[in-house]
Amino acid sequence: MILIKNNLNRANFARIIFYLLLTISIVFFYALYEQYELLTDAKNGIAVTHQAAISNQMHIQIISVINIILLCTSIIVFLMWIYRAYDNLTKLNITTLNFTPGWAVGFWFVPILSLVNPYTAMREIWEETQNYTLSKEQKQNLIKPTLVRIWWALYLTNIFVSYFVLIFFKGDSSIDGLLTLTTALMVSNTFTIAVKIVTLVMINKIAIFEKNLWDFANNSDNLQINSVDVSIV
């Protein structure tokens, strides 16, 4: 007997967190744009009130704190979702998997390997969750992991851009320097927003694949053929 578990609740929780992260990223972009306008006014000799400047900085600080809290929560929720999705595939005795469920999550924290292996695990979730429910004649209908490739490319690009901004655009407290930093942060935040959007789309698609797998496993005929038992935890 093979025991697989419903992953829908974890997928839904992950979607909620990423929707909140996307919202806060958009709000942060707007706050940065306001800061850019204030700095531009100051550079052009237009009076900027102390209250306006303090208000903008307070908004940015509050948004940053909320973002950190949501980001930490999203890491936990997203990895829990990945673990359950990969664990289900492992319990189906799929021999093409490269990792254990633990390492599908653990490789996110291993230097160098974290640049490749999390993508491989996600691609396997994408492909094998579909593959298990398809007959030989239906294999040609398998949706290729193009979205996973886009997600990973954006994720890596976002990390690179964020570190680049952190290293090369901080330290200059002049108006021109602050304008450059604000512009760089807006560009970086644009990539962050893109990553959040693609992540949400990817979670939605895989959740559909997992629903199909769940329905397939709950079909009595398929249970008899594949010796699969299911439970909700």
Side-chain angles (χ1 to χ4, degrees):
M1 281 292 186
I2 304 170
L3 184 69
I4 71 170
K5 299 177 181 178
N6 194 327
N7 204 21
L8 181 60
N9 288 337
R10 295 189 182 192
N12 287 336
F13 197 12
R15 279 184 281 210
I16 291 171
I17 295 299
F18 274 95
Y19 273 121
L20 292 174
L21 271 173
L22 176 60
T23 301
I24 205 69
S25 294
I26 293 172
V27 173
F28 184 55
F29 185 91
Y30 178 74
L32 287 172
Y33 180 74
E34 281 189 329
Q35 178 172 280
Y36 181 87
E37 286 191 320
L38 289 172
L39 290 169
T40 301
D41 287 345
K43 181 179 179 180
N44 294 332
I46 301 174
V48 176
T49 65
H50 180 71
Q51 182 179 358
I54 293 298
S55 177
N56 177 257
Q57 284 304 304
M58 185 172 293
H59 289 161
I60 289 177
Q61 290 173 5
I62 292 173
I63 292 167
S64 298
V65 170
I66 295 173
N67 184 66
I68 290 173
I69 294 172
L70 287 174
L71 185 60
C72 292
T73 304
S74 72
I75 291 171
I76 296 171
V77 172
F78 187 63
L79 293 181
M80 288 177 63
W81 172 70
I82 290 175
Y83 181 91
R84 172 67 59 79
Y86 207 91
D87 187 49
N88 281 340
L89 296 178
T90 302
K91 289 174 179 176
L92 292 172
N93 292 324
I94 296 174
T95 58
T96 56
L97 299 176
N98 288 293
F99 315 117
T100 63
W103 276 116
V105 170
F107 277 125
W108 282 87
F109 305 98
V110 180
I112 308 301
L113 295 178
S114 63
L115 298 175
V116 178
N117 287 2
Y119 160 75
T120 302
M122 188 63 72
R123 190 199 70 225
E124 290 176 343
I125 291 172
W126 178 281
E127 292 179 335
E128 299 302 337
T129 303
Q130 296 179 77
N131 196 48
Y132 191 82
T133 64
L134 300 177
S135 65
K136 289 183 178 180
E137 293 75 18
Q138 295 173 320
K139 299 294 184 185
Q140 61 183 1
N141 297 327
L142 188 143
I143 302 174
K144 295 182 180 180
T146 304
L147 184 63
V148 180
R149 297 189 187 104
I150 294 172
W151 163 72
W152 194 245
L154 283 172
Y155 171 77
L156 293 180
T157 302
N158 185 47
I159 291 178
F160 172 79
V161 172
S162 297
Y163 275 111
F164 186 82
V165 171
L166 185 66
I167 293 172
F168 292 102
F169 289 97
K170 286 196 172 183
D172 187 351
S173 58
S174 67
I175 292 181
D176 285 337
L178 292 174
L179 273 169
T180 302
L181 173 60
T182 303
T183 302
L185 287 172
M186 290 171 68
V187 172
S188 175
N189 195 61
T190 300
F191 279 102
T192 300
I193 291 172
V195 171
K196 299 298 185 299
I197 292 173
V198 175
T199 301
L200 275 167
V201 175
M202 182 180 69
I203 293 174
N204 287 336
K205 291 294 292 185
I206 292 177
I208 293 172
F209 301 154
E210 290 187 302
K211 175 64 167 55
N212 293 337
L213 179 64
W214 179 254
D215 292 341
F216 183 86
N218 272 290
N219 184 293
S220 59
D221 293 334
N222 293 326
L223 283 174
Q224 185 176 8
I225 294 172
N226 294 287
S227 300
V228 176
D229 187 20
V230 295
S231 71
I232 301 178
V233 178

